[in-house]
Amino acid sequence: MHSPTDRHDLRHHGDAEVRDPRLTDLAVNVRTGTPPDWLREHISGSLTSLAAYPDGRAARAAVAARHGLPVERVLLTAGTAEAFVLLARALRVRRPVVVHPQFTEPEAALRDAGHEVTRVLLREEDGFRLDPAAVPESADLVAVGNPTNPTSVLHPAADIARLARPGRILVVDEAFMDAVPGEPEALASRTDVPGLVVLRSLTKTWGLAGLRIGYVLAEPETIAALERAQPLWPVSTPALAAAEACVSTRALAEAAEAAERIAKDRAHLLAGLAEFDEVRVVPAAEGPFVLVRIDRADEVRERLRGLGFAARRGDTFPGLDGRWLRLAVRDRATTNRFLQALDQALTMVAACGASPR
Protein backbone atom coordinates (compact mmCIF):
# COMPACT_ATOMS: atom_id res chain seq x y z
CA MET A 1 0.00 0.00 0.00
CA HIS A 2 1.46 3.33 -1.06
CA SER A 3 0.64 7.01 -0.98
CA PRO A 4 1.25 8.71 -4.36
CA THR A 5 4.46 10.59 -3.61
CA ASP A 6 6.18 9.90 -6.94
CA ARG A 7 5.94 11.83 -10.18
CA HIS A 8 4.17 9.52 -12.61
CA ASP A 9 2.60 11.49 -15.44
CA LEU A 10 -1.00 10.38 -14.92
CA ARG A 11 -2.21 12.45 -17.88
CA HIS A 12 0.05 10.76 -20.43
CA HIS A 13 -1.87 8.41 -22.73
CA GLY A 14 -1.11 6.37 -25.81
CA ASP A 15 -2.38 8.98 -28.25
CA ALA A 16 0.65 11.13 -27.40
CA GLU A 17 2.86 8.43 -28.92
CA VAL A 18 1.22 8.42 -32.36
CA ARG A 19 0.90 12.05 -33.40
CA ASP A 20 3.26 11.31 -36.27
CA PRO A 21 0.99 9.76 -38.96
CA ARG A 22 3.95 7.93 -40.49
CA LEU A 23 4.12 5.58 -37.49
CA THR A 24 2.37 2.23 -37.29
CA ASP A 25 0.30 2.48 -34.12
CA LEU A 26 0.93 -0.12 -31.42
CA ALA A 27 0.44 2.47 -28.67
CA VAL A 28 -3.33 3.04 -28.74
CA ASN A 29 -5.72 0.22 -27.84
CA VAL A 30 -8.38 1.02 -30.44
CA ARG A 31 -9.22 -1.80 -32.85
CA THR A 32 -7.90 -1.10 -36.33
CA GLY A 33 -10.21 -0.90 -39.34
CA THR A 34 -12.96 0.73 -37.29
CA PRO A 35 -15.60 2.02 -37.24
CA PRO A 36 -17.07 -0.41 -39.79
CA ASP A 37 -18.92 1.06 -42.74
CA TRP A 38 -22.38 0.15 -41.44
CA LEU A 39 -21.70 1.95 -38.15
CA ARG A 40 -20.23 5.00 -39.85
CA GLU A 41 -23.31 5.21 -42.07
CA HIS A 42 -25.62 4.83 -39.07
CA ILE A 43 -23.88 7.64 -37.23
CA SER A 44 -23.96 9.82 -40.35
CA GLY A 45 -27.70 9.29 -40.57
CA SER A 46 -28.13 10.94 -37.18
CA LEU A 47 -26.73 14.22 -38.47
CA THR A 48 -30.12 15.20 -39.89
CA SER A 49 -31.33 15.51 -36.27
CA LEU A 50 -28.65 17.90 -35.02
CA ALA A 51 -31.07 20.81 -34.71
CA ALA A 52 -32.86 19.01 -31.88
CA TYR A 53 -31.44 18.54 -28.40
CA PRO A 54 -30.08 15.04 -27.76
CA ASP A 55 -32.60 12.50 -26.44
CA GLY A 56 -30.85 9.62 -24.77
CA ARG A 57 -33.86 7.51 -23.84
CA ALA A 58 -33.65 5.00 -26.68
CA ALA A 59 -29.89 4.50 -26.31
CA ARG A 60 -30.19 4.16 -22.55
CA ALA A 61 -32.92 1.55 -22.93
CA ALA A 62 -30.83 -0.34 -25.49
CA VAL A 63 -27.82 -0.47 -23.19
CA ALA A 64 -30.02 -1.60 -20.30
CA ALA A 65 -31.52 -4.37 -22.42
CA ARG A 66 -28.06 -5.48 -23.57
CA HIS A 67 -27.13 -6.18 -19.94
CA GLY A 68 -30.57 -7.27 -18.71
CA LEU A 69 -30.85 -4.28 -16.36
CA PRO A 70 -33.50 -1.65 -15.68
CA VAL A 71 -32.81 1.75 -17.24
CA GLU A 72 -32.44 3.25 -13.76
CA ARG A 73 -29.12 1.40 -13.49
CA VAL A 74 -27.64 2.94 -16.67
CA LEU A 75 -25.96 6.29 -17.29
CA LEU A 76 -24.58 7.24 -20.70
CA THR A 77 -21.36 9.28 -20.63
CA ALA A 78 -18.89 10.96 -22.97
CA GLY A 79 -16.55 7.99 -22.66
CA THR A 80 -15.27 6.42 -19.45
CA ALA A 81 -13.03 9.44 -18.86
CA GLU A 82 -16.11 11.51 -18.06
CA ALA A 83 -17.41 8.74 -15.83
CA PHE A 84 -14.26 8.83 -13.70
CA VAL A 85 -14.64 12.59 -13.25
CA LEU A 86 -18.28 12.21 -12.24
CA LEU A 87 -17.42 9.52 -9.70
CA ALA A 88 -14.68 11.68 -8.20
CA ARG A 89 -16.88 14.77 -7.94
CA ALA A 90 -20.32 13.42 -7.17
CA LEU A 91 -19.73 10.68 -4.61
CA ARG A 92 -18.92 11.41 -0.99
CA VAL A 93 -15.84 9.33 -0.35
CA ARG A 94 -13.02 9.94 2.11
CA ARG A 95 -10.60 7.04 1.65
CA PRO A 96 -10.34 6.14 -2.05
CA VAL A 97 -7.97 3.38 -3.14
CA VAL A 98 -6.79 2.73 -6.70
CA VAL A 99 -5.31 -0.64 -7.60
CA HIS A 100 -2.28 -0.17 -9.87
CA PRO A 101 -0.88 -0.63 -12.44
CA GLN A 102 -4.02 0.41 -14.27
CA PHE A 103 -5.50 3.17 -16.41
CA THR A 104 -4.42 6.36 -14.68
CA GLU A 105 -7.54 8.49 -15.14
CA PRO A 106 -9.36 7.18 -12.02
CA GLU A 107 -6.57 8.44 -9.78
CA ALA A 108 -6.07 11.64 -11.77
CA ALA A 109 -9.78 12.48 -11.51
CA LEU A 110 -9.86 11.73 -7.78
CA ARG A 111 -6.81 13.87 -7.13
CA ASP A 112 -8.16 16.73 -9.25
CA ALA A 113 -11.34 16.62 -7.15
CA GLY A 114 -9.27 17.10 -3.99
CA HIS A 115 -9.13 13.52 -2.75
CA GLU A 116 -6.08 11.95 -1.15
CA VAL A 117 -5.60 8.65 -2.98
CA THR A 118 -3.99 5.52 -1.62
CA ARG A 119 -2.39 3.13 -4.10
CA VAL A 120 -2.33 -0.65 -3.90
CA LEU A 121 0.49 -1.81 -6.19
CA LEU A 122 0.18 -5.28 -7.67
CA ARG A 123 3.51 -7.07 -8.05
CA GLU A 124 5.29 -8.42 -11.08
CA GLU A 125 6.33 -11.53 -9.18
CA ASP A 126 2.62 -12.29 -8.65
CA GLY A 127 1.85 -11.77 -12.32
CA PHE A 128 0.13 -8.47 -11.43
CA ARG A 129 -2.82 -10.49 -10.16
CA LEU A 130 -5.28 -9.00 -7.71
CA ASP A 131 -4.94 -9.86 -4.03
CA PRO A 132 -8.20 -8.68 -2.40
CA ALA A 133 -6.54 -8.85 1.02
CA ALA A 134 -4.09 -6.10 -0.03
CA VAL A 135 -6.90 -3.52 -0.15
CA PRO A 136 -7.32 -1.80 3.23
CA GLU A 137 -10.61 -2.37 5.00
CA SER A 138 -10.95 1.37 5.55
CA ALA A 139 -11.29 2.08 1.81
CA ASP A 140 -14.71 3.48 0.93
CA LEU A 141 -13.99 3.51 -2.81
CA VAL A 142 -11.86 0.96 -4.67
CA ALA A 143 -11.05 1.27 -8.38
CA VAL A 144 -9.72 -1.66 -10.41
CA GLY A 145 -9.54 -2.49 -14.12
CA ASN A 146 -10.62 -5.79 -15.66
CA PRO A 147 -9.01 -6.80 -17.94
CA THR A 148 -6.46 -4.38 -16.63
CA ASN A 149 -4.76 -1.77 -18.77
CA PRO A 150 -1.75 -2.06 -19.20
CA THR A 151 -1.05 -5.52 -17.78
CA SER A 152 -3.74 -7.36 -19.83
CA VAL A 153 -4.51 -9.45 -16.74
CA LEU A 154 -8.10 -10.68 -16.43
CA HIS A 155 -8.96 -10.98 -12.76
CA PRO A 156 -11.54 -13.56 -11.63
CA ALA A 157 -14.91 -11.92 -11.07
CA ALA A 158 -15.09 -13.68 -7.71
CA ASP A 159 -11.88 -12.00 -6.54
CA ILE A 160 -13.16 -8.57 -7.51
CA ALA A 161 -16.54 -9.22 -5.89
CA ARG A 162 -14.70 -10.03 -2.65
CA LEU A 163 -13.72 -6.35 -2.51
CA ALA A 164 -17.36 -5.31 -2.00
CA ARG A 165 -18.34 -4.05 1.46
CA PRO A 166 -21.33 -2.23 2.92
CA GLY A 167 -20.65 1.48 2.53
CA ARG A 168 -17.94 0.96 -0.12
CA ILE A 169 -18.11 1.92 -3.81
CA LEU A 170 -16.43 -0.73 -5.97
CA VAL A 171 -15.51 0.75 -9.37
CA VAL A 172 -14.62 -1.82 -12.04
CA ASP A 173 -13.33 -0.50 -15.37
CA GLU A 174 -14.45 -3.03 -17.99
CA ALA A 175 -13.51 -0.87 -20.98
CA PHE A 176 -11.81 -3.84 -22.67
CA MET A 177 -14.10 -6.64 -21.50
CA ASP A 178 -15.85 -6.92 -24.87
CA ALA A 179 -12.47 -7.84 -26.39
CA VAL A 180 -12.38 -10.99 -24.21
CA PRO A 181 -14.15 -13.93 -25.89
CA GLY A 182 -17.32 -14.73 -23.96
CA GLU A 183 -16.62 -12.09 -21.28
CA PRO A 184 -16.30 -14.85 -18.64
CA GLU A 185 -15.29 -12.56 -15.76
CA ALA A 186 -17.67 -9.67 -16.48
CA LEU A 187 -19.58 -8.05 -13.63
CA ALA A 188 -21.58 -5.66 -15.81
CA SER A 189 -24.90 -7.49 -15.47
CA ARG A 190 -24.58 -8.29 -11.77
CA THR A 191 -26.97 -6.71 -9.27
CA ASP A 192 -26.00 -8.80 -6.24
CA VAL A 193 -22.67 -7.05 -5.50
CA PRO A 194 -23.23 -4.13 -3.11
CA GLY A 195 -21.81 -0.78 -4.19
CA LEU A 196 -20.76 -2.10 -7.62
CA VAL A 197 -20.10 0.47 -10.34
CA VAL A 198 -19.10 -0.94 -13.74
CA LEU A 199 -17.74 1.30 -16.51
CA ARG A 200 -17.93 0.28 -20.15
CA SER A 201 -16.48 1.96 -23.23
CA LEU A 202 -17.67 1.74 -26.82
CA THR A 203 -14.65 3.58 -28.18
CA LYS A 204 -12.13 0.72 -28.20
CA THR A 205 -13.82 -2.09 -30.08
CA TRP A 206 -15.74 0.23 -32.41
CA GLY A 207 -13.11 2.89 -33.17
CA LEU A 208 -15.08 5.78 -31.67
CA ALA A 209 -12.42 7.49 -29.57
CA GLY A 210 -13.13 10.74 -31.39
CA LEU A 211 -16.86 10.51 -30.70
CA ARG A 212 -16.66 9.83 -26.92
CA ILE A 213 -19.26 7.31 -25.80
CA GLY A 214 -19.41 4.97 -22.82
CA TYR A 215 -21.70 4.15 -19.92
CA VAL A 216 -21.94 3.43 -16.23
CA LEU A 217 -23.86 0.54 -14.66
CA ALA A 218 -24.64 0.91 -10.95
CA GLU A 219 -27.33 1.04 -8.29
CA PRO A 220 -30.08 3.56 -9.11
CA GLU A 221 -29.07 5.85 -6.23
CA THR A 222 -25.50 6.03 -7.54
CA ILE A 223 -26.69 6.63 -11.11
CA ALA A 224 -28.92 9.47 -9.90
CA ALA A 225 -26.02 11.11 -8.05
CA LEU A 226 -23.76 10.89 -11.10
CA GLU A 227 -26.50 12.20 -13.39
CA ARG A 228 -26.98 15.26 -11.19
CA ALA A 229 -23.28 16.05 -11.63
CA GLN A 230 -23.49 15.89 -15.42
CA PRO A 231 -24.13 18.98 -17.51
CA LEU A 232 -27.30 19.07 -19.56
CA TRP A 233 -27.20 16.98 -22.75
CA PRO A 234 -23.72 15.52 -22.04
CA VAL A 235 -23.82 12.94 -24.86
CA SER A 236 -24.26 14.17 -28.44
CA THR A 237 -26.88 12.87 -30.84
CA PRO A 238 -24.29 11.05 -33.02
CA ALA A 239 -22.81 9.41 -29.92
CA LEU A 240 -26.28 8.30 -28.78
CA ALA A 241 -26.90 6.81 -32.21
CA ALA A 242 -23.60 4.95 -31.92
CA ALA A 243 -24.44 3.63 -28.47
CA GLU A 244 -27.76 2.22 -29.63
CA ALA A 245 -26.15 0.60 -32.67
CA CYS A 246 -23.19 -0.87 -30.78
CA VAL A 247 -25.39 -2.89 -28.42
CA SER A 248 -27.59 -4.29 -31.18
CA THR A 249 -27.67 -8.01 -31.89
CA ARG A 250 -25.67 -7.49 -35.07
CA ALA A 251 -23.01 -5.47 -33.30
CA LEU A 252 -22.66 -7.91 -30.40
CA ALA A 253 -22.12 -10.76 -32.86
CA GLU A 254 -19.51 -8.73 -34.74
CA ALA A 255 -17.75 -7.80 -31.49
CA ALA A 256 -17.68 -11.46 -30.46
CA GLU A 257 -16.04 -12.39 -33.77
CA ALA A 258 -13.53 -9.58 -33.34
CA ALA A 259 -12.68 -10.83 -29.85
CA GLU A 260 -11.92 -14.28 -31.23
CA ARG A 261 -9.66 -12.77 -33.91
CA ILE A 262 -7.89 -10.64 -31.32
CA ALA A 263 -7.21 -13.73 -29.22
CA LYS A 264 -5.61 -15.46 -32.21
CA ASP A 265 -3.62 -12.37 -33.18
CA ARG A 266 -2.45 -11.98 -29.58
CA ALA A 267 -1.26 -15.59 -29.53
CA HIS A 268 0.76 -14.88 -32.69
CA LEU A 269 2.32 -11.79 -31.09
CA LEU A 270 3.15 -13.67 -27.89
CA ALA A 271 4.75 -16.52 -29.84
CA GLY A 272 6.94 -14.02 -31.68
CA LEU A 273 7.93 -12.19 -28.51
CA ALA A 274 8.88 -15.50 -26.87
CA GLU A 275 11.71 -15.80 -29.40
CA PHE A 276 13.55 -12.86 -27.79
CA ASP A 277 15.62 -13.61 -24.70
CA GLU A 278 15.65 -9.89 -23.90
CA VAL A 279 11.85 -9.65 -23.67
CA ARG A 280 9.72 -10.75 -20.72
CA VAL A 281 5.94 -10.75 -21.24
CA VAL A 282 3.41 -10.50 -18.44
CA PRO A 283 1.84 -13.98 -18.57
CA ALA A 284 -1.77 -14.91 -19.27
CA ALA A 285 -2.62 -11.79 -21.27
CA GLU A 286 -6.34 -11.63 -22.07
CA GLY A 287 -6.82 -8.10 -23.44
CA PRO A 288 -6.14 -6.55 -26.85
CA PHE A 289 -2.63 -5.56 -25.73
CA VAL A 290 0.35 -7.07 -23.93
CA LEU A 291 2.82 -5.66 -21.41
CA VAL A 292 6.50 -6.45 -21.88
CA ARG A 293 9.62 -5.78 -19.83
CA ILE A 294 12.84 -4.95 -21.67
CA ASP A 295 16.01 -3.52 -20.20
CA ARG A 296 16.55 0.02 -21.53
CA ALA A 297 13.00 -0.02 -22.90
CA ASP A 298 13.07 3.75 -23.40
CA GLU A 299 15.95 3.37 -25.87
CA VAL A 300 14.23 0.44 -27.58
CA ARG A 301 11.06 2.52 -27.92
CA GLU A 302 12.97 5.34 -29.59
CA ARG A 303 14.68 2.92 -31.96
CA LEU A 304 11.27 1.46 -32.82
CA ARG A 305 10.00 4.94 -33.64
CA GLY A 306 12.89 5.36 -36.05
CA LEU A 307 11.85 2.09 -37.65
CA GLY A 308 8.24 3.21 -38.01
CA PHE A 309 6.48 1.77 -34.93
CA ALA A 310 4.92 3.52 -31.92
CA ALA A 311 4.83 1.61 -28.62
CA ARG A 312 3.30 2.85 -25.37
CA ARG A 313 5.82 3.73 -22.68
CA GLY A 314 5.12 2.07 -19.36
CA ASP A 315 6.79 4.38 -16.87
CA THR A 316 3.74 6.65 -16.55
CA PHE A 317 1.79 3.84 -14.86
CA PRO A 318 2.25 3.66 -11.06
CA GLY A 319 3.87 0.36 -10.22
CA LEU A 320 5.92 0.29 -13.43
CA ASP A 321 9.16 1.95 -14.47
CA GLY A 322 11.21 2.64 -17.59
CA ARG A 323 11.70 -1.05 -18.35
CA TRP A 324 8.12 -1.55 -19.56
CA LEU A 325 6.30 -1.14 -22.87
CA ARG A 326 2.68 -1.83 -23.78
CA LEU A 327 2.01 -3.22 -27.26
CA ALA A 328 -1.40 -3.26 -28.92
CA VAL A 329 -2.42 -6.48 -30.65
CA ARG A 330 -2.60 -6.06 -34.40
CA ASP A 331 -3.10 -8.37 -37.40
CA ARG A 332 -0.47 -11.00 -38.20
CA ALA A 333 1.12 -9.07 -41.06
CA THR A 334 1.60 -5.96 -38.92
CA THR A 335 2.91 -8.08 -36.06
CA ASN A 336 5.43 -9.78 -38.32
CA ARG A 337 6.74 -6.40 -39.48
CA PHE A 338 6.90 -5.22 -35.88
CA LEU A 339 8.82 -8.29 -34.73
CA GLN A 340 11.41 -7.65 -37.43
CA ALA A 341 11.70 -4.03 -36.28
CA LEU A 342 11.99 -5.12 -32.65
CA ASP A 343 14.84 -7.44 -33.59
CA GLN A 344 16.63 -4.53 -35.24
CA ALA A 345 15.91 -2.17 -32.33
CA LEU A 346 17.25 -4.62 -29.76
CA THR A 347 20.36 -5.19 -31.84
CA MET A 348 21.00 -1.45 -32.20
CA VAL A 349 20.53 -0.79 -28.48
CA ALA A 350 22.84 -3.68 -27.57
CA ALA A 351 25.47 -2.34 -29.98
CA CYS A 352 25.42 0.99 -28.19
CA GLY A 353 26.70 -0.67 -25.02
CA ALA A 354 25.53 -0.21 -21.48
CA SER A 355 23.91 3.10 -20.61
CA PRO A 356 25.99 5.35 -18.34
CA ARG A 357 24.68 5.73 -14.79
Side-chain angles (χ1 to χ4, degrees):
M1 191 168 62
H2 298 262
S3 295
T5 56
D6 56 2
R7 293 292 182 266
H8 287 88
D9 182 1
L10 301 181
R11 293 297 191 188
H12 180 91
H13 300 297
D15 60 318
E17 313 274 0
V18 290
R19 288 172 182 158
D20 184 341
R22 296 170 295 180
L23 296 175
T24 297
D25 176 16
L26 273 67
V28 174
N29 296 321
V30 172
R31 186 163 63 100
T32 56
T34 53
D37 289 341
W38 66 264
L39 179 56
R40 187 180 292 108
E41 292 168 4
H42 182 82
I43 295 169
S44 296
S46 72
L47 299 181
T48 59
S49 304
L50 291 185
Y53 284 95
D55 183 350
R57 289 176 295 178
R60 189 177 186 182
V63 170
R66 181 257 191 270
H67 292 286
L69 297 171
V71 293
E72 294 80 11
R73 297 184 72 99
V74 176
L75 182 67
L76 302 174
T77 61
T80 55
E82 186 205 7
F84 288 126
V85 172
L86 295 175
L87 289 165
R89 295 180 179 178
L91 302 185
R92 296 181 178 179
V93 297
R94 302 182 64 182
R95 294 173 295 277
V97 169
V98 178
V99 179
H100 285 292
Q102 74 147 310
F103 185 50
T104 53
E105 280 302 307
E107 180 173 322
L110 286 163
R111 289 170 59 177
D112 288 346
H115 297 285
E116 183 176 338
V117 179
T118 297
R119 295 174 178 170
V120 169
L121 301 181
L122 305 184
R123 304 190 309 164
E124 178 189 0
E125 51 265 43
D126 298 329
F128 294 110
R129 297 198 168 278
L130 176 66
D131 176 9
V135 175
E137 285 293 327
S138 61
D140 58 359
L141 182 147
V142 178
V144 62
N146 203 37
T148 303
N149 171 19
T151 63
S152 205
V153 171
L154 182 66
H155 305 295
D159 286 352
I160 294 180
R162 283 174 56 196
L163 294 172
R165 303 282 189 280
R168 172 185 286 178
I169 300 294
L170 175 57
V171 180
V172 185
D173 178 6
E174 291 189 353
F176 295 100
M177 189 63 80
D178 62 352
V180 179
E183 302 188 12
E185 306 301 338
L187 290 168
S189 300
R190 296 274 294 270
T191 60
D192 60 324
V193 180
L196 177 65
V197 177
V198 174
L199 277 55
R200 284 283 180 119
S201 171
L202 297 173
T203 65
K204 318 298 185 188
T205 289
W206 296 109
L208 300 174
L211 194 61
R212 311 307 308 142
I213 180 64
Y215 54 89
V216 182
L217 308 172
E219 295 167 351
E221 297 81 5
T222 301
I223 293 295
L226 299 178
E227 192 169 19
R228 286 193 296 270
Q230 275 187 314
L232 289 172
W233 312 293
V235 181
S236 70
T237 294
L240 292 171
E244 191 172 358
C246 290
V247 295
S248 66
T249 300
R250 171 185 182 173
L252 294 179
E254 185 173 320
E257 292 176 3
E260 295 288 350
R261 287 197 304 273
I262 288 168
K264 293 177 182 177
D265 289 339
R266 184 182 58 242
H268 181 68
L269 172 61
L270 292 173
L273 292 171
E275 297 296 318
F276 295 97
D277 293 337
E278 305 95 328
V279 178
R280 176 190 173 98
V281 182
V282 174
E286 297 285 350
F289 46 86
V290 299
L291 183 65
V292 300
R293 192 184 76 186
I294 308 172
D295 287 341
R296 300 163 65 189
D298 54 342
E299 298 175 56
V300 173
R301 183 172 64 90
E302 287 303 316
R303 294 290 187 178
L304 285 171
R305 291 182 70 84
L307 295 166
F309 288 87
R312 171 65 159 91
R313 56 189 281 201
D315 62 332
T316 63
F317 294 99
L320 302 181
D321 56 27
R323 298 173 297 168
W324 296 92
L325 297 176
R326 190 192 69 197
L327 306 172
V329 173
R330 299 297 187 225
D331 61 89
R332 292 171 67 98
T334 301
T335 292
N336 289 343
R337 290 192 296 108
F338 165 72
L339 292 170
Q340 291 176 345
L342 178 60
D343 188 27
Q344 294 178 57
L346 291 168
T347 300
M348 287 187 286
V349 169
C352 289
S355 297
R357 293 185 177 273

